[in-house]
CSV table of all heavy atoms in Angstrom, one decimal:
chain,number,residue,atom,x,y,z
A,1,LYS,N,0.8,-1.2,0.0
A,1,LYS,CA,0.0,0.0,0.0
A,1,LYS,C,0.8,1.2,0.0
A,1,LYS,O,0.5,2.3,-0.6
A,1,LYS,CB,-0.9,0.0,1.2
A,1,LYS,CG,-1.8,1.2,1.2
A,1,LYS,CD,-2.7,1.1,2.5
A,1,LYS,CE,-3.7,2.4,2.6
A,1,LYS,NZ,-4.5,2.4,3.8
A,2,GLY,N,2.0,1.2,0.7
A,2,GLY,CA,2.8,2.4,0.7
A,2,GLY,C,3.8,2.6,-0.4
A,2,GLY,O,4.5,3.6,-0.4
A,3,TYR,N,3.9,1.7,-1.3
A,3,TYR,CA,4.8,1.8,-2.4
A,3,TYR,C,4.0,2.4,-3.6
A,3,TYR,O,2.8,2.0,-3.9
A,3,TYR,CB,5.4,0.5,-2.9
A,3,TYR,CG,6.1,0.6,-4.2
A,3,TYR,CD1,7.3,1.1,-4.3
A,3,TYR,CD2,5.5,0.1,-5.3
A,3,TYR,CE1,8.0,1.3,-5.5
A,3,TYR,CE2,6.1,0.2,-6.6
A,3,TYR,CZ,7.3,0.8,-6.6
A,3,TYR,OH,8.0,0.9,-7.9
A,4,LYS,N,4.7,3.3,-4.3
A,4,LYS,CA,4.0,3.9,-5.5
A,4,LYS,C,5.0,4.3,-6.6
A,4,LYS,O,6.1,4.7,-6.3
A,4,LYS,CB,3.2,5.1,-5.1
A,4,LYS,CG,3.9,6.2,-4.5
A,4,LYS,CD,3.0,7.3,-3.8
A,4,LYS,CE,2.0,7.8,-4.7
A,4,LYS,NZ,1.1,8.9,-4.1
A,5,VAL,N,4.5,4.1,-7.8
A,5,VAL,CA,5.3,4.6,-8.9
A,5,VAL,C,4.8,6.0,-9.2
A,5,VAL,O,3.7,6.2,-9.5
A,5,VAL,CB,5.1,3.8,-10.2
A,5,VAL,CG1,5.9,4.3,-11.4
A,5,VAL,CG2,5.5,2.3,-9.9
A,6,ILE,N,5.7,7.0,-9.0
A,6,ILE,CA,5.3,8.4,-9.2
A,6,ILE,C,5.3,8.8,-10.7
A,6,ILE,O,6.2,8.6,-11.4
A,6,ILE,CB,6.3,9.3,-8.5
A,6,ILE,CG1,6.5,8.9,-7.1
A,6,ILE,CG2,5.8,10.8,-8.5
A,6,ILE,CD1,5.3,8.9,-6.2
A,7,THR,N,4.1,9.4,-11.2
A,7,THR,CA,4.0,9.9,-12.4
A,7,THR,C,3.9,11.4,-12.5
A,7,THR,O,3.9,12.1,-13.6
A,7,THR,CB,2.8,9.3,-13.2
A,7,THR,OG1,1.6,9.5,-12.4
A,7,THR,CG2,3.0,7.8,-13.3
A,8,SER,N,3.6,12.0,-11.4
A,8,SER,CA,3.4,13.5,-11.3
A,8,SER,C,4.6,14.2,-11.0
A,8,SER,O,5.3,13.9,-10.0
A,8,SER,CB,2.4,13.8,-10.2
A,8,SER,OG,2.4,15.1,-9.9
A,9,ALA,N,5.1,15.1,-12.0
A,9,ALA,CA,6.3,15.9,-11.6
A,9,ALA,C,6.0,16.8,-10.5
A,9,ALA,O,7.0,17.1,-9.7
A,9,ALA,CB,6.6,16.7,-13.0
A,10,THR,N,4.9,17.2,-10.2
A,10,THR,CA,4.5,18.0,-9.0
A,10,THR,C,4.8,17.3,-7.7
A,10,THR,O,5.5,17.9,-6.8
A,10,THR,CB,3.1,18.5,-9.0
A,10,THR,OG1,2.8,19.3,-10.2
A,10,THR,CG2,2.8,19.4,-7.8
A,11,GLU,N,4.4,16.0,-7.7
A,11,GLU,CA,4.7,15.2,-6.5
A,11,GLU,C,6.2,15.0,-6.4
A,11,GLU,O,6.8,15.1,-5.2
A,11,GLU,CB,4.0,13.9,-6.5
A,11,GLU,CG,4.2,13.1,-5.3
A,11,GLU,CD,3.3,11.8,-5.3
A,11,GLU,OE1,2.5,11.7,-6.2
A,11,GLU,OE2,3.4,11.0,-4.3
A,12,ALA,N,6.9,14.7,-7.4
A,12,ALA,CA,8.4,14.4,-7.4
A,12,ALA,C,9.1,15.7,-7.0
A,12,ALA,O,10.1,15.7,-6.2
A,12,ALA,CB,8.8,14.0,-8.7
A,13,GLN,N,8.6,16.9,-7.4
A,13,GLN,CA,9.2,18.1,-7.1
A,13,GLN,C,9.4,18.3,-5.6
A,13,GLN,O,10.3,19.0,-5.1
A,13,GLN,CB,8.4,19.3,-7.7
A,13,GLN,CG,9.1,20.6,-7.7
A,13,GLN,CD,10.2,20.8,-8.7
A,13,GLN,OE1,10.1,20.3,-9.8
A,13,GLN,NE2,11.3,21.4,-8.3
A,14,GLY,N,8.4,17.8,-4.8
A,14,GLY,CA,8.5,18.0,-3.3
A,14,GLY,C,9.7,17.2,-2.7
A,14,GLY,O,10.1,17.6,-1.6
A,15,PHE,N,10.4,16.4,-3.5
A,15,PHE,CA,11.6,15.7,-2.9
A,15,PHE,C,12.8,16.2,-3.5
A,15,PHE,O,13.9,15.7,-3.2
A,15,PHE,CB,11.4,14.2,-3.3
A,15,PHE,CG,10.3,13.4,-2.6
A,15,PHE,CD1,9.1,13.4,-3.1
A,15,PHE,CD2,10.5,12.9,-1.4
A,15,PHE,CE1,8.1,12.7,-2.5
A,15,PHE,CE2,9.5,12.3,-0.6
A,15,PHE,CZ,8.3,12.3,-1.2
A,16,THR,N,12.8,17.3,-4.2
A,16,THR,CA,14.0,18.0,-4.8
A,16,THR,C,14.7,18.8,-3.6
A,16,THR,O,14.0,19.1,-2.6
A,16,THR,CB,13.7,18.9,-5.9
A,16,THR,OG1,12.8,19.9,-5.4
A,16,THR,CG2,13.0,18.1,-7.1
A,17,PRO,N,16.0,19.1,-3.8
A,17,PRO,CA,16.7,19.8,-2.7
A,17,PRO,C,16.0,21.1,-2.3
A,17,PRO,O,16.0,21.5,-1.2
A,17,PRO,CB,18.1,20.0,-3.3
A,17,PRO,CG,18.2,18.8,-4.2
A,17,PRO,CD,16.9,18.6,-4.8
A,18,GLY,N,15.5,21.8,-3.4
A,18,GLY,CA,14.9,23.1,-3.1
A,18,GLY,C,13.7,23.0,-2.1
A,18,GLY,O,13.4,23.9,-1.4
A,19,ASN,N,13.0,21.9,-2.2
A,19,ASN,CA,11.8,21.7,-1.4
A,19,ASN,C,12.0,20.9,-0.1
A,19,ASN,O,11.6,21.2,1.0
A,19,ASN,CB,10.7,21.2,-2.2
A,19,ASN,CG,10.1,22.2,-3.2
A,19,ASN,OD1,9.7,23.3,-2.8
A,19,ASN,ND2,10.1,21.8,-4.5
A,20,PHE,N,12.8,19.7,-0.3
A,20,PHE,CA,12.8,18.8,0.8
A,20,PHE,C,13.8,19.2,1.8
A,20,PHE,O,13.6,18.9,3.0
A,20,PHE,CB,13.3,17.4,0.2
A,20,PHE,CG,13.0,16.3,1.0
A,20,PHE,CD1,11.7,15.9,1.3
A,20,PHE,CD2,14.0,15.5,1.6
A,20,PHE,CE1,11.5,14.8,2.2
A,20,PHE,CE2,13.9,14.4,2.4
A,20,PHE,CZ,12.5,14.0,2.7
A,21,ILE,N,14.9,19.9,1.6
A,21,ILE,CA,15.8,20.3,2.6
A,21,ILE,C,16.0,21.9,2.5
A,21,ILE,O,17.0,22.4,3.0
A,21,ILE,CB,17.1,19.7,2.4
A,21,ILE,CG1,17.7,19.9,1.0
A,21,ILE,CG2,17.1,18.1,2.7
A,21,ILE,CD1,19.1,19.2,0.9
A,22,ALA,N,15.0,22.6,1.9
A,22,ALA,CA,15.0,24.1,1.9
A,22,ALA,C,16.3,24.5,1.3
A,22,ALA,O,17.0,25.4,1.8
A,22,ALA,CB,14.8,24.7,3.3
A,23,GLY,N,16.8,23.8,0.3
A,23,GLY,CA,18.2,24.1,-0.2
A,23,GLY,C,18.5,25.4,-0.8
A,23,GLY,O,19.6,25.9,-0.9
A,24,GLY,N,17.4,26.1,-1.2
A,24,GLY,CA,17.6,27.5,-1.8
A,24,GLY,C,18.2,28.4,-0.8
A,24,GLY,O,18.6,29.5,-1.1
A,25,SER,N,17.9,28.2,0.5
A,25,SER,CA,18.4,29.1,1.6
A,25,SER,C,19.7,28.8,2.0
A,25,SER,O,20.3,29.6,2.9
A,25,SER,CB,17.4,29.1,2.7
A,25,SER,OG,17.4,27.8,3.3
A,26,TRP,N,20.4,27.7,1.6
A,26,TRP,CA,21.8,27.4,2.2
A,26,TRP,C,22.7,26.7,1.3
A,26,TRP,O,23.9,26.8,1.5
A,26,TRP,CB,21.6,26.6,3.5
A,26,TRP,CG,21.1,25.2,3.4
A,26,TRP,CD1,19.8,25.0,3.2
A,26,TRP,CD2,21.8,24.0,3.3
A,26,TRP,NE1,19.5,23.5,3.1
A,26,TRP,CE2,20.8,22.9,3.2
A,26,TRP,CE3,23.1,23.7,3.4
A,26,TRP,CZ2,21.2,21.6,3.2
A,26,TRP,CZ3,23.4,22.3,3.4
A,26,TRP,CH2,22.5,21.3,3.2
A,27,LEU,N,22.3,25.9,0.3
A,27,LEU,CA,23.2,25.2,-0.5
A,27,LEU,C,24.2,26.1,-1.3
A,27,LEU,O,25.4,25.7,-1.5
A,27,LEU,CB,22.5,24.3,-1.6
A,27,LEU,CG,21.9,23.0,-0.9
A,27,LEU,CD1,21.1,22.2,-2.0
A,27,LEU,CD2,22.9,22.1,-0.2
A,28,LYS,N,23.8,27.2,-1.7
A,28,LYS,CA,24.6,28.2,-2.4
A,28,LYS,C,25.9,28.6,-1.5
A,28,LYS,O,27.0,28.8,-2.0
A,28,LYS,CB,23.9,29.5,-2.8
A,28,LYS,CG,24.7,30.4,-3.6
A,28,LYS,CD,23.8,31.7,-4.0
A,28,LYS,CE,24.6,32.6,-4.8
A,28,LYS,NZ,23.7,33.8,-5.2
A,29,ASN,N,25.7,28.6,-0.3
A,29,ASN,CA,26.7,29.0,0.7
A,29,ASN,C,27.8,27.9,0.8
A,29,ASN,O,28.9,28.3,1.4
A,29,ASN,CB,26.1,29.3,2.0
A,29,ASN,CG,24.9,30.2,2.0
A,29,ASN,OD1,24.8,30.9,1.0
A,29,ASN,ND2,24.0,30.1,2.9
A,30,THR,N,27.5,26.7,0.3
A,30,THR,CA,28.5,25.6,0.6
A,30,THR,C,29.7,25.7,-0.4
A,30,THR,O,30.8,25.3,-0.2
A,30,THR,CB,27.8,24.2,0.3
A,30,THR,OG1,27.4,24.1,-1.0
A,30,THR,CG2,26.7,24.0,1.3
A,31,GLY,N,29.4,26.4,-1.5
A,31,GLY,CA,30.5,26.5,-2.6
A,31,GLY,C,30.5,25.1,-3.4
A,31,GLY,O,31.2,25.1,-4.4
A,32,PHE,N,29.5,24.2,-3.2
A,32,PHE,CA,29.5,23.0,-3.9
A,32,PHE,C,28.4,23.1,-5.1
A,32,PHE,O,27.5,23.8,-4.9
A,32,PHE,CB,29.1,21.9,-3.0
A,32,PHE,CG,30.0,21.5,-1.8
A,32,PHE,CD1,29.5,20.8,-0.8
A,32,PHE,CD2,31.3,22.0,-1.8
A,32,PHE,CE1,30.5,20.5,0.3
A,32,PHE,CE2,32.2,21.8,-0.7
A,32,PHE,CZ,31.7,21.0,0.3
A,33,PRO,N,28.5,22.2,-6.0
A,33,PRO,CA,27.6,22.2,-7.1
A,33,PRO,C,26.2,21.6,-6.6
A,33,PRO,O,26.3,20.7,-5.7
A,33,PRO,CB,28.2,21.4,-8.2
A,33,PRO,CG,29.2,20.5,-7.5
A,33,PRO,CD,29.7,21.3,-6.3
A,34,PHE,N,25.1,21.9,-7.1
A,34,PHE,CA,23.9,21.4,-6.8
A,34,PHE,C,22.8,21.8,-7.8
A,34,PHE,O,23.0,22.8,-8.6
A,34,PHE,CB,23.4,21.9,-5.4
A,34,PHE,CG,23.2,23.3,-5.3
A,34,PHE,CD1,21.9,23.9,-5.5
A,34,PHE,CD2,24.3,24.2,-4.9
A,34,PHE,CE1,21.7,25.3,-5.4
A,34,PHE,CE2,24.0,25.6,-4.9
A,34,PHE,CZ,22.8,26.1,-5.2
């Protein structure tokens, strides 16, 4: 029941660094690519 094949880009977008770990507010400061 808990497994799913994702087809929605909107749902997948929630797991990107920008959303999942608020990456837009801190990843730039690392100097690393992302």
Side-chain angles (χ1 to χ4, degrees):
K1 182 180 178 181
Y3 168 76
K4 60 195 304 186
V5 177
I6 309 300
T7 57
S8 165
T10 301
E11 184 171 357
Q13 191 74 40
F15 293 92
T16 59
N19 289 307
F20 198 65
I21 56 174
S25 66
W26 65 279
L27 285 178
K28 185 178 180 181
N29 312 334
T30 66
F32 299 165
F34 62 89

